[in-house]
Amino acid sequence: MALPFYGKKSILKLCEVYCGQKLPNIMCGIIGYIGHRQALPVVIKGLKRLEYRGYDSAGVALLETNNLKVYKKKGKVASLEEELIGKSLEGHIGIGHTRWATHGEPSDRNAHPHVSASGQLAMIHNGIIENYTSIKAELTQKGYSFKSDTDTEVLLNFIEEIKINNDCPLEEALRIALKRIVGAYCILLIDQNDPETILAARKGSPLVIGIGKGEHFLASDATPIIEYTKEVVYVNDYQIAIIKKDELVLKNLGNERQTPFITKLDMELAAIEKGGYEHFMLKEIFEQPTTINDCLRGRIHPQEGLITMGGVEAYIKNLKEAKRIIIVACGTSWHAGLIAEYLLEEYCRIPVEVEYASEFRYRNPVIHKGDVIIAISQSGETADTLVALENAKEKGALIFGVVNAVGSSISRMSHAGAYTHSGPEIGVASTKAFTGQLAILIMITLKLARALNTISTSDYKQLLQELADIPEKVARILENTDPIKAVAEKYKDASDFLFLGRGYNFPVALEGALKLKEISYIHAEGYPAAEMKHGPIALVDENLPVVFVATKDRYYEKIVSNVQEIKARKGKVICIVTEGDNIIPSMADDVLFVPDAPEALGPILSVIPLQLLSYYIGTARGLDVDKPRNLAKSVTVE
Ligand code: AGP
């Protein structure tokens, strides 16, 4: 059944994939190559592109005429490259892995690829095998011993044991093994005795296969593939792929052939390069005037007073009749959801609940048939969000996805949706995807309010025009970032920060705190400004920087007194204020100005200085702002 997941440049309709099972837990980067080139350069370059998915260890396996070579190292891909110096590196087949550790601490022996007991098979894995301990016990009884603590090595030896025991081809052994395991996986498997084939399988963890002339590329997402080909196949759950340099066969676990669905990627190489910026995060912050424009273009028509969004139009009846809207997301996407609550309740008068996906999925929430769930996710692969949606879908809820990654699992399991068109977001800290999400949520709100007649024509037209002006206003903020750099330099050694806001600016304060935590490792909390009196104000003294998101809105007078409360306790006050404001600047220690905008659109502007503040503090502290410690871009872990 075709699915209306509209981006104005949507190039395809994706077949619905319904998995409805427990979801994966790990977020490594998987890369594979088979073809006429030397595999190693392709694999290493691909691992570097995927390193934002996990950087605890890295490894490669190369295969040439029955000669299997495996090299792996704890740490980033750069440490692996050092390890490879002087080694024999030929091979037209190569698989590579960059790890985010769950089972087994980051170390050389727990790094992937793992090699089977016979030494003939090598495998990499993104996912988690939940019943690996029982399988390990079975194999141990049969005399197997293990070099690592990983579930992956257990699965590999289990496959080999079946192959030997049943005296069957490796593909058959793989199929049998996959029917026995519980959990999630994306695996690439090569056999020293078959230097013409890569076997791959997926359930829960993403896998994309790029189709070249006499070669195939395999990866966790499309970013390592686009420089070689734009033709890709998104592998679905419970599919096994048998890949040769000139052939790609897809089968289900019933050994039935399935037709590969070829998609043409709509992404340029430049989108995944740093483009002269020192970090992806800075590049992505400065891309926002363009990415927000890309998100609006073809959708808003201020002259005609129109918003065209196919996904909303396809389900406008369900949205209008919704008794409530439940927004499900994690992290930064959850903050976008909180802003959508203010928007939808104010303009559409529909009750909204904003749920942390990780709590929502286990809380056994009350879901009625016809309930509308808006799922917000940059990667479209966040495990908690994906499972929460499947549970809700089973209970008859309509799933509307707001997603950035085209072809991702959430976009494929949603009934409808809208892409944010922010382009690949490589920096682990989400920036341009957040403002893209806000732009989409504002368009959905205005379109629905218009359909429900809960907004006046003049307000609707004015907000539509103001929305069209937002990219230019963001560009104005980015024209001069020196004031933000100066504030960052002044407070870079602080040990704690507070971020405060009211109304639409409260979630922006939460987002500012999250960005600073992620990028600078400084403890930071966001609060509704009025909540301070109920406890957190006890934290305030001359050492605590307090950031107010205090742009002109219906709460302005209130926030002025909140600023005075903090100043009265010697707190260091930094305020994001509207250009032309001359009241708060007279009170605050530091002010950062943003252009004026209606309060409902204000968060897209006021978050920009907060993104840059965390970036400049992170770089001033000498940290790797693109790959912060302990984090990964796409959290496919529970
Ligand atoms: C934000 O900077 C973080 N990378 C993280 O909180 C992220 O927003 C969260 O993991 C949700 O990811 P998603 O939007 O891809 O689902």
Side-chain angles (χ1 to χ4, degrees):
M1 178 176 79
L3 277 176
F5 205 91
Y6 294 80
K8 63 186 178 308
K9 286 183 288 181
S10 296
I11 50 243
L12 58 98
K13 290 200 169 63
L14 295 166
C15 302
E16 176 164 351
V17 177
Y18 190 64
C19 36
Q21 77 286 348
K22 272 200 67 47
L23 256 206
N25 307 330
I26 199 165
M27 41 206 180
C28 305
I30 289 256
I31 187 88
Y33 174 78
I34 181 166
H36 50 78
R37 306 167 199 241
Q38 276 300 313
L40 186 71
V42 177
V43 170
I44 291 292
K45 203 169 186 183
L47 285 178
K48 287 184 177 163
R49 293 229 186 273
L50 291 175
E51 203 164 21
Y52 65 91
R53 300 178 64 89
Y55 24 90
D56 290 329
S57 64
V60 295
L62 301 169
L63 182 53
E64 185 73 22
T65 52
N66 309 106
N67 178 7
L68 177 63
K69 292 155 287 204
V70 174
Y71 308 105
K72 51 188 180 176
K73 195 76 188 139
K74 179 179 177 224
K76 296 189 172 158
V77 177
S79 333
L80 173 66
E81 285 183 293
E82 270 158 42
E83 177 75 11
L84 294 173
I85 296 165
K87 302 281 190 333
S88 111
L89 302 172
E90 294 71 46
H92 287 86
I93 288 188
I95 58 175
H97 185 273
T98 176
R99 183 173 188 237
W100 193 90
T102 59
H103 282 74
E105 61 173 13
S107 64
D108 293 0
R109 69 192 186 86
N110 287 330
H112 297 214
H114 289 282
V115 178
S116 64
S118 70
Q120 289 172 5
L121 306 180
M123 187 167 92
I124 54 178
H125 169 216
N126 172 20
I128 194 168
I129 310 304
E130 293 172 18
N131 61 336
Y132 87 105
T133 42
S134 56
I135 295 173
K136 188 172 186 175
E138 260 179 59
L139 292 171
T140 308
Q141 264 177 353
K142 291 192 176 132
Y144 280 82
S145 60
F146 296 89
K147 309 182 203 67
S148 77
D149 313 319
T150 66
D151 51 344
T152 308
E153 189 188 6
V154 173
L155 172 58
L156 177 57
N157 282 318
F158 183 49
I159 295 166
E160 182 159 71
E161 168 61 17
I162 294 167
K163 181 174 182 296
I164 296 164
N165 227 15
N166 301 27
D167 187 21
C168 65
L170 184 59
E171 182 196 325
E172 180 60 25
L174 174 62
R175 219 183 339 275
I176 296 168
L178 294 181
K179 287 182 186 155
R180 272 279 314 276
I181 60 166
V182 177
Y185 54 81
C186 169
I187 55 177
L188 301 192
L189 175 61
I190 55 177
D191 178 354
Q192 176 171 285
N193 304 321
D194 178 359
E196 302 304 324
T197 310
I198 297 179
L199 290 177
R202 175 222 157 147
K203 188 194 113 187
S205 302
L207 177 61
V208 188
I209 300 178
I211 300 164
K213 293 197 175 37
E215 55 188 357
H216 286 98
F217 307 83
L218 300 92
S220 299
D221 64 46
T223 52
I225 291 176
I226 55 168
E227 64 191 279
Y228 305 104
T229 175
K230 292 271 173 80
E231 305 246 316
V232 299
V233 170
Y234 290 94
V235 179
N236 295 323
D237 282 345
Y238 299 110
Q239 284 189 327
I240 290 180
I242 300 100
I243 309 113
K244 302 187 181 302
K245 68 180 192 320
D246 300 310
E247 188 190 22
L248 163 62
V249 173
L250 283 183
K251 291 183 178 177
N252 60 19
L253 293 188
N255 197 18
E256 294 149 340
R257 275 185 171 234
Q258 301 193 310
T259 316
F261 202 96
I262 297 178
T263 310
K264 196 152 179 37
L265 285 176
D266 180 17
M267 196 197 289
E268 298 310 323
L269 188 55
I272 57 169
E273 304 286 359
K274 278 193 191 143
Y277 287 88
E278 199 187 341
H279 296 100
F280 281 108
M281 183 181 180
L282 189 63
K283 176 196 175 217
E284 288 156 6
I285 291 173
F286 275 80
E287 279 180 334
Q288 291 177 102
T290 309
T291 54
I292 298 168
N293 214 23
D294 279 353
C295 182
L296 300 176
R297 189 183 321 109
R299 287 171 165 155
I300 61 168
H301 316 277
Q303 307 318 321
E304 299 84 356
L306 280 180
I307 298 174
T308 50
M309 296 181 83
V312 176
E313 282 140 25
Y315 285 88
I316 195 69
K317 188 168 172 304
N318 308 66
L319 291 163
K320 283 170 72 177
E321 292 165 3
K323 298 274 176 302
R324 62 179 174 159
I325 292 178
I326 304 169
I327 298 176
V328 176
C330 302
T332 288
S333 297
W334 187 84
H335 295 150
L338 209 50
I339 291 169
E341 178 181 33
Y342 286 80
L343 287 164
L344 289 161
E345 293 201 345
E346 173 164 9
Y347 290 101
C348 301
R349 310 309 294 150
I350 298 176
V352 174
E353 294 154 26
V354 186
E355 300 280 354
Y356 278 118
S358 52
E359 288 302 310
F360 188 67
R361 62 169 294 179
Y362 282 114
R363 200 184 75 229
N364 189 17
V366 180
I367 295 178
H368 304 301
K369 197 162 177 22
D371 275 346
V372 171
I373 302 237
I374 296 182
I376 307 174
S377 176
Q378 185 289 124
S379 63
E381 299 291 353
T382 299
D384 285 319
T385 307
L386 203 46
V387 174
L389 298 178
E390 286 180 356
N391 297 350
K393 195 176 180 179
E394 273 172 26
K395 293 180 180 155
L398 171 79
I399 311 296
F400 191 98
V402 176
V403 173
N404 187 40
V406 174
S408 56
S409 304
I410 290 176
S411 68
R412 291 190 286 142
M413 63 80 64
S414 303
H415 293 97
Y419 286 123
T420 58
H421 289 296
S422 310
E425 190 173 66
I426 310 287
V428 167
S430 186
T431 54
K432 61 179 181 175
F434 178 65
T435 50
Q437 289 162 352
L438 296 184
I440 292 280
L441 294 162
I442 291 163
M443 286 190 277
I444 293 172
T445 300
L446 292 178
K447 190 171 176 64
L448 187 51
R450 190 76 168 148
L452 288 164
N453 216 1
T454 51
I455 187 171
S456 69
T457 302
S458 56
D459 283 356
Y460 171 78
K461 289 209 164 143
Q462 192 236 343
L463 282 168
L464 204 50
Q465 186 50 58
E466 289 276 358
L467 184 58
D469 300 340
I470 286 288
E472 182 270 326
K473 289 181 178 176
V474 171
R476 267 173 43 205
I477 298 169
L478 296 169
E479 267 159 22
N480 176 17
T481 63
D482 292 349
I484 305 169
K485 264 192 212 136
V487 172
E489 193 52 41
K490 187 173 174 183
Y491 297 102
K492 69 178 186 324
D493 301 319
S495 58
D496 305 275
F497 262 77
L498 269 181
F499 289 76
L500 305 177
R502 299 179 76 128
Y504 288 95
N505 287 335
F506 160 49
V508 178
L510 291 175
E511 178 58 10
L514 177 61
K515 287 281 106 43
L516 192 65
K517 280 181 266 203
E518 287 184 278
I519 295 300
S520 72
Y521 316 156
I522 295 175
H523 168 246
E525 291 187 63
Y527 271 96
E531 197 54 26
M532 288 297 290
K533 299 187 282 299
H534 308 289
I537 199 164
L539 296 168
V540 178
D541 63 19
E542 63 283 359
N543 304 316
L544 182 71
V546 180
V547 179
F548 278 89
V549 187
T551 51
K552 279 279 170 64
D553 59 17
R554 76 188 85 170
Y555 308 90
Y556 185 74
E557 276 69 39
K558 304 280 182 228
I559 205 108
V560 167
S561 38
N562 295 141
V563 169
Q564 288 162 334
E565 284 159 15
I566 302 298
K567 284 309 296 171
R569 286 141 183 100
K570 302 192 174 34
K572 291 287 179 288
V573 170
I574 304 149
C575 289
I576 312 289
V577 299
T578 303
E579 283 169 356
D581 182 338
N582 50 26
I583 296 171
I584 289 182
S586 64
M587 303 173 193
D589 299 275
D590 302 278
V591 285
L592 300 171
F593 291 95
V594 294
D596 189 16
E599 65 181 74
L601 310 187
I604 300 185
L605 301 180
S606 51
V607 76
I608 308 288
L610 300 180
Q611 295 169 345
L612 284 163
L613 184 65
S614 65
Y615 173 80
Y616 290 129
I617 289 179
T619 46
R621 290 163 75 101
L623 301 170
D624 183 343
V625 294
D626 276 346
K627 293 195 270 297
R629 70 184 182 196
N630 305 340
L631 288 179
K633 183 66 185 171
S634 173
V635 181
T636 51
V637 70
E638 272 190 52

